[in-house]
Amino acid sequence: MYTKDGEQYFVVDAHTHFWDASPENWVEGQEEFAKGWIECFHAYQGLGPKETHWPIDRFQKYSEELMMHDLFEAGHVDKAIFQPTNLRQWYKNGFNTTEADGALAERHPGKFLVNTTFDPREGEEGLKAFEERVKRYGAKGVKLYTAEWRGDSRGWSLKDPEAARYLEKCEELGVKNVHVHKGPTIWPLDKDAFDVSDIDHVATNFQGLNFIVEHVGLPRIEDFCFMATQERNVYAGLAVVVGGLMHARPKFFAKVMGELMFWIGEDKLIFGADYAIWEPKWQVEGFVDWNMPEDAELSDFAPLTVAQKKKILGLNAARLYDIEVPPELRLEQETEVEPVGVQQP
């Protein structure tokens, strides 16, 4: 929980990781890609305040104790949601797996929700393993990486018939929140494999699922906004938006937030710190202090209210994941704002 100026904010970090990118975990023959991936991630950390930058060796593999401190002691986080990224092509034990996340979560009951992942290229065997992970960890969501390499394949699409089978399984198992990385690429993955066009397709076909587009499709913010506003079950995941832009590109951050608030609305924006690229403390405190600048180029966009920030920092994610919010941290009067596009049923 974060308190500022007498207001209390319930904070859900909906996008966090516990990874191992140390050289000991690199696949023989794939060292160039394993090293390049984590160095690219590390470069993104440079977009945050200088005092929050880490040396590369700590960034490659950080401790459980450090993560618990950064999120729950210093970072104001009430609940965090693990979003796994396997990358087993380059990392022997995986980069940030459901199993590692789940083990950490079990050592700290009540702090985390564990999402899992799937890759439709794994076929029937993968579908069975996916169901086992969902039941084992009680997953209510998945994190998908459509640009992930697998053998000679450089990615996959949610439009693929094989992906539909997995999404049908999500509906069957009650895995209702589908987080999809659609945004800045990380070397050596291909930018076009993160295009948001396949979200448009499946959001219409699977209206019982929520599609949280992580990183809001950056740099294609307008493509995302015009697609999301017409799909009632598409949400904006703010990981990278806050961490990557609020400090380093404040004017662009204001524009992106203005577009998201205008087209998609305050009920569909989900905060995520994207740890360990960025720590949540400065993001939570900075976002509460931030507001739309008085600038002629931003005059289309209204200032954010305290209630809107409370929704974005935690109440929206709590609603999607059925997280219990203490009564004193709820809004006195719950209102739902319609987006610009299609009306809600």
Side-chain angles (χ1 to χ4, degrees), residues 245-271:
L245 302 180
M246 186 172 67
H247 172 77
R249 296 290 309 279
K251 194 163 185 175
F252 185 48
F253 172 70
K255 180 181 185 308
V256 170
M257 284 300 302
E259 298 287 359
L260 293 171
M261 289 293 288
F262 179 83
W263 291 107
I264 304 169
E266 66 199 57
D267 292 310
K268 289 188 164 184
L269 274 57
I270 310 293
F271 171 71

Side-chain angles (χ1 to χ4, degrees), residues 123-306:
E124 197 65 37
E125 186 177 338
L127 197 62
K128 181 180 177 183
F130 168 61
E131 182 169 356
E132 291 173 351
R133 288 194 302 274
V134 168
K135 293 179 177 177
R136 168 69 178 81
Y137 297 104
K140 295 181 179 179
V142 291
K143 172 70 183 297
L144 305 180
Y145 235 75
T146 54
E148 183 164 352
W149 289 7
R150 182 177 177 83
D152 295 331
S153 170
R154 298 277 288 258
W156 54 280
S157 169
L158 285 161
K159 297 179 182 177
D160 295 341
E162 295 79 9
R165 295 182 60 216
Y166 280 77
L167 293 172
E168 289 166 359
K169 180 62 73 175
C170 286
E171 290 184 316
E172 176 188 327
L173 298 173
V175 180
K176 63 181 183 179
N177 298 310
V178 181
H179 297 250
V180 192
H181 180 113
K182 295 289 185 184
T185 191
I186 306 103
W187 191 88
L189 302 182
D190 299 337
K191 182 169 74 68
D192 287 348
F194 286 136
D195 185 89
V196 297
S197 62
D198 54 351
I199 298 288
D200 193 8
H201 183 86
V202 292
T204 303
N205 287 355
F206 292 91
Q207 296 193 35
L209 302 177
N210 303 314
F211 291 88
I212 300 95
V213 175
E214 296 295 351
H215 325 310
V216 304
L218 288 171
R220 307 172 178 94
I221 183 62
E222 292 183 346
D223 282 0
F224 170 69
C225 285
F226 278 78
M227 179 274 293
T229 194
Q230 51 138 7
E231 299 286 354
R232 60 176 64 92
N233 54 338
V234 170
Y235 294 74
L238 297 185
V240 171
V241 175
V242 181
L245 302 180
M246 186 172 67
H247 172 77
R249 296 290 309 279
K251 194 163 185 175
F252 185 48
F253 172 70
K255 180 181 185 308
V256 170
M257 284 300 302
E259 298 287 359
L260 293 171
M261 289 293 288
F262 179 83
W263 291 107
I264 304 169
E266 66 199 57
D267 292 310
K268 289 188 164 184
L269 274 57
I270 310 293
F271 171 71
D274 221 345
Y275 190 84
I277 301 178
W278 300 289
E279 298 167 12
K281 182 178 187 296
W282 68 267
Q283 297 186 65
V284 171
E285 295 175 0
F287 185 70
V288 168
D289 289 343
W290 177 84
N291 221 320
M292 193 63 65
E294 293 184 5
D295 185 313
E297 293 182 20
L298 302 170
S299 60
D300 284 354
F301 308 129
L304 271 68
T305 66
V306 169

Side-chain angles (χ1 to χ4, degrees), residues 53-71:
H53 298 175
W54 292 6
I56 185 66
D57 56 340
R58 186 202 301 175
F59 192 79
Q60 287 175 338
K61 185 177 182 179
Y62 45 92
S63 70
E64 177 176 333
E65 291 73 23
L66 181 63
M67 181 175 191
M68 295 303 293
H69 169 79
D70 287 346
L71 267 64

